[in-house]
Amino acid sequence: MDRVIPGNAGAAPNGVALARKLAKTRLTVALVLSVAMIVIYFGFMALFAFDKPLLGTILMPGLSLCIVLGPLVIISSFALCLVYVLWANRVLDAGIRDLR
């Protein structure tokens, strides 16, 4: 049911459809990025819990695989956040501007 929002007296019904599409797209992007972060984090934790010898593999003197993968988990969270911010600035903000 398409209704006119009180503060938006001239809103067209297709504006409501665009807002719903934008909200659905935002939810999809958020879920995909969240699932990616969960897989990365719990994948590392699973390795830590169930395959310590693999993580203890020495790559160079003083550098094990665990020391490399640990910071990569943290860096991946920043990378996924950056992906969301870039997407939001380019797609989400443009869609919100189109609604106004």
Side-chain angles (χ1 to χ4, degrees):
M1 169 179 183
D2 292 341
R3 296 184 311 152
V4 175
I5 300 169
N8 226 357
N14 64 354
V16 174
L18 180 61
R20 286 186 181 150
K21 181 179 181 230
L22 199 57
K24 184 178 178 182
T25 304
R26 183 180 97 38
L27 178 64
T28 302
V29 169
L31 287 175
V32 167
L33 293 174
S34 296
V35 167
M37 189 66 238
I38 289 169
V39 167
I40 291 168
Y41 178 75
F42 285 108
F44 178 71
M45 288 294 112
L47 280 175
F48 194 78
F50 301 113
D51 202 359
K52 285 185 184 173
L54 175 67
L55 290 179
T57 303
I58 302 297
L59 302 176
M60 297 171 40
L63 183 67
S64 69
L65 185 59
C66 186
I67 293 173
V68 172
L69 291 180
L72 284 178
V73 170
I74 296 167
I75 291 168
S76 69
S77 69
F78 284 104
L80 291 173
C81 183
L82 178 65
V83 166
Y84 180 78
V85 167
L86 291 174
W87 175 83
N89 286 340
R90 292 180 180 156
V91 177
L92 187 63
D93 289 348
I96 291 172
R97 270 192 304 275
D98 290 345
L99 284 174
R100 292 182 182 172

